[in-house]
Amino acid sequence: MSDATLTITPPVEPEVALKPRRVETDGHDPSMLISMRNIWKTYQMGTESVHALHGVSFDIPRGEYIAIIGPSGSGKSTLMNLIGCLDTPSQGQYWLNGKNVSEMDDDELARIRNQEVGFVFQTFNLLARATALHNVELPLIYGGVSASKRHEMAQQALRSVDLTERMMHKPNELSGGQRQRVAIARALVNHPSILLADEPTGALDSHTSMEIMDLFERLHSEGNTIIVVTHEHDIAERAHRVISIRDGQIEKDERIR
C-alpha cells in the first residue's frame, strides 16, 4: 500500500474592492459641494452671440480654498455670478450642495443665495448709517431669524473676525481693513456652504490686504469653503488651488499646496 501525498492549499485572501466614486448619469459627482458640467453663458448683442463662457466643467469639494484668476474680459466675473447664483447658465448643469441650481427660478435662486452663499465684495457694500453689528445682522433679517437669535449670531460672527471691540461702530468710524472684516462677518453669519469673495483686497493697501488674506487662511483652516475671484497673482497664490480663466474657458486648473 503506497503512502498518499497530502496537499494543503493555503487559503485565498479575499480581494478588497475599492469603492468607486459615485457619478450620476448626468455626469455630476454628488459628493462634491460644487459640480459644474459643460457650462455656457451666451449674451445676444444685436445679431451676434457672444460666449462669455463655453464648455466650463469642474468640481469643488467641501473645505476647498480656491482662487479663480483671469484678465479683464476672461469670463471670471461671469463664472463668479453663476457660482453665486446671481445668474443662470445658458447651457449646462450647475449643482450646489446637491441642488441643481441651473434649473431654478428667481425666487429659488434668492433662497439659495441667502442659505448657501456668503458674499464678500471689493467695495464692502455696508450700510453707512448702520453699526457693524446691524450690518452683519442683515442676512438674518432677510432669513426671518428672531431678533435675539440674530443679535447673538452677529456678535459671534464679529468675534470670529476679531472685531469684538468695534461692534457698535459705523463704517465711517472703521478703517478699510475693519470694514472688510465686517463684510466677511456678514458673509459668514448664516454659516453658508461657500464664502465667495470678489476682489476682496482691491480697495485695500498691501499690508491690510495681507491681513485679510491671513484671515481667509484661518477661516479655511476652521473648515470653511472659500472661493476668491481676483486678477492679482499674489492673492491667488494664497489659495490652495488655482483655476485660470481665459477667453471663457479654463486654461489651467492646478493645486499649488
Side-chain angles (χ1 to χ4, degrees), residues 10-250:
V12 177
E13 294 290 334
E15 293 184 4
V16 179
L18 294 176
K19 187 176 181 181
R21 193 175 69 169
R22 181 183 166 200
V23 177
E24 300 291 350
T25 54
D26 55 19
H28 90 279
D29 182 348
S31 71
M32 294 291 164
L33 177 59
I34 286 176
S35 191
M36 284 196 163
R37 290 293 177 271
N38 193 32
I39 294 292
W40 290 68
K41 185 62 184 179
T42 304
Y43 298 99
Q44 203 65 35
M45 311 290 282
T47 59
E48 184 180 358
S49 295
V50 177
H51 302 300
L53 293 173
H54 40 107
V56 170
S57 298
F58 61 88
D59 293 319
I60 299 177
R62 286 170 178 78
E64 186 85 276
Y65 183 6
I66 186 168
I68 297 173
I69 189 169
S72 177
S74 63
K76 69 180 186 300
S77 295
T78 301
L79 181 57
M80 182 202 72
N81 289 338
L82 294 180
I83 292 172
C85 301
L86 296 168
D87 202 355
T88 53
S90 306
Q91 179 182 326
Q93 300 290 313
Y94 171 29
W95 294 80
L96 170 59
N97 204 13
K99 305 176 185 73
N100 189 350
V101 298
S102 51
E103 298 179 354
M104 290 183 176
D105 60 27
D106 289 345
D107 289 341
E108 291 172 316
L109 286 173
R111 282 194 294 273
I112 288 291
R113 284 195 299 272
N114 188 261
Q115 295 168 3
E116 302 283 0
V117 186
F119 292 95
V120 179
F121 301 100
Q122 177 178 340
T123 52
F124 318 134
N125 288 9
L126 301 177
L127 295 181
R129 297 183 180 181
T131 64
L133 186 64
H134 185 63
N135 268 288
V136 174
E137 285 182 298
L138 285 176
L140 303 173
I141 293 173
Y142 300 143
V145 179
S146 68
S148 59
K149 181 64 174 176
R150 67 176 181 253
H151 194 74
E152 176 187 338
M153 292 173 69
Q155 286 181 323
Q156 178 57 40
L158 284 164
R159 281 194 291 269
S160 75
V161 297
D162 302 321
L163 283 181
T164 304
E165 305 301 321
R166 295 288 186 271
M167 291 187 185
M168 303 313 295
H169 287 64
K170 294 179 180 178
N172 65 354
E173 300 169 330
L174 301 171
S175 68
Q178 288 170 338
R179 277 178 272 175
Q180 191 60 293
R181 286 173 183 267
V182 174
I184 293 169
R186 180 184 59 195
L188 290 170
V189 73
N190 256 343
H191 304 292
S193 297
I194 307 166
L195 185 64
L196 181 58
D198 179 22
E199 302 283 3
T201 62
L204 304 174
D205 61 52
S206 57
H207 176 73
T208 307
S209 294
M210 290 304 102
E211 289 183 345
I212 293 300
M213 297 312 295
D214 288 344
L215 175 58
F216 280 146
E217 184 68 43
R218 175 165 64 80
L219 293 172
H220 170 252
S221 71
E222 294 169 358
N224 292 283
T225 303
I226 299 176
I227 302 174
V228 174
V229 180
T230 183
H231 67 278
E232 300 180 73
H233 286 276
D234 59 334
I235 297 301
E237 288 169 359
R238 296 293 299 270
H240 294 196
R241 175 183 168 196
V242 178
I243 293 179
S244 301
I245 302 289
R246 185 175 294 273
D247 299 328
Q249 295 180 301
I250 294 179

